[in-house]
Amino acid sequence: MTGTAPTLPEELLLLALDPVSGKPYCRGGFLEYGVAGAVLAELELQGRIAEERGRVVVVNPLDPPDPLLAVFLRSLPPPGKSRLGSGISARRWVRQSGRRAEGLYLDALVERGVLRRESRRFLGLFPLHRHPAGPASPAEQVRQRFEESRAAGFPDRGSRLLAALAAAVELPSVVKQGDRRTRAAVRSLAREEWPAQAVHRNVRQDKAAAAGGGDGGGGGGGD
């Protein structure tokens, strides 16, 4: 990419997008939530935020070096500034920020040549974008590292978070591969790691709304 290791939002996108067709392997709305959850996971790994009873609390408001992470850190309530107590609901933030997070990260990856953008109009009316691998894509290396981490039982926090987020968005290569014990272990990560849990709860909400004929999208979400 640029000689630096990809962040969790970038890794999740590279795992979730077919490098040839550019289509996501999972539902697009789920991936939006996943990218937002990956932003929170990366900010926590870098010591910028923490989780307290389902709420995201900023513990270090100084901008991280990564400009996109800095944008999203500034979108969180500063310490002691929330009207409803400390921080903001992780579930709500993921729902409200998903589309923006995915869009900004896709734009950045296209600009760096990691992804390409192919656009057309669905039914001649609605814009439809696909993001196949670009000339600078490390997608194969990301997938290889993921499989090596899976074989080793996801030995570090970063690999566990990535696996949890991939399971939360129901990425088939994660939730449908391996024996029953492996699949169950990966699904359990989505409930154990709080950023992935926030994603998983939004995914479940959308699925329940779809099953009931309602609209699962939108910016509400609740706490």
Side-chain angles (χ1 to χ4, degrees):
M1 305 206 349
T2 57
T4 59
T7 60
L8 284 170
E10 293 166 341
E11 286 189 299
L12 182 63
L13 281 168
L14 292 174
L15 281 178
L17 294 172
D18 185 306
V20 177
S21 70
K23 295 173 62 176
Y25 292 116
C26 58
R27 277 180 51 177
F30 295 176
L31 185 55
E32 291 178 3
Y33 299 145
V35 175
V39 168
L40 296 180
E42 185 68 39
L43 286 171
E44 186 194 38
L45 280 178
Q46 296 191 17
R48 308 290 171 164
I49 64 172
E51 182 264 348
E52 294 180 1
R53 291 176 292 182
R55 301 181 73 81
V56 184
V57 179
V58 175
V59 296
N60 180 356
L62 296 178
D63 282 354
D66 183 282
L68 284 183
L69 290 176
V71 166
F72 288 109
L73 181 62
R74 290 195 295 268
S75 78
L76 295 164
K81 296 297 184 181
S82 173
R83 292 183 295 106
L84 301 174
S86 297
I88 185 173
S89 161
R91 177 186 180 183
R92 178 182 292 275
W93 191 88
V94 163
R95 176 167 287 272
Q96 292 178 337
S97 303
R99 183 168 298 180
R100 182 184 183 214
E102 185 190 48
L104 288 177
Y105 273 96
L106 286 172
D107 287 347
L109 291 173
V110 169
E111 183 178 341
R112 303 205 313 260
V114 174
L115 298 175
R116 293 182 292 111
R117 176 165 290 147
E118 297 177 352
S119 302
R120 61 184 179 86
R121 291 195 174 273
F122 179 64
L123 300 178
L125 298 172
F126 308 105
L128 183 66
H129 304 298
R130 294 287 181 250
H131 294 90
S137 176
E140 186 58 38
Q141 297 95 304
V142 168
R143 289 187 175 86
Q144 182 177 344
R145 284 197 303 269
F146 185 85
E147 292 305 323
E148 291 170 352
S149 294
R150 192 205 310 251
F154 301 112
D156 59 86
R157 183 82 198 289
S159 66
R160 287 195 298 274
L161 282 166
L162 182 58
L165 291 161
V169 302
E170 302 185 348
L171 201 60
S173 63
V174 175
V175 298
K176 293 185 178 180
Q177 287 189 8
D179 58 26
R180 181 179 299 178
R181 180 177 297 181
T182 300
R183 297 194 303 271
V186 170
R187 287 192 177 96
S188 72
L189 285 175
R191 299 186 294 271
E192 294 167 5
E193 297 289 354
W194 69 266
Q197 186 182 70
V199 173
H200 182 58
R201 291 177 67 193
N202 279 298
V203 167
R204 284 193 308 172
Q205 180 179 333
D206 283 9
K207 292 175 72 173
D215 179 9
D223 289 345

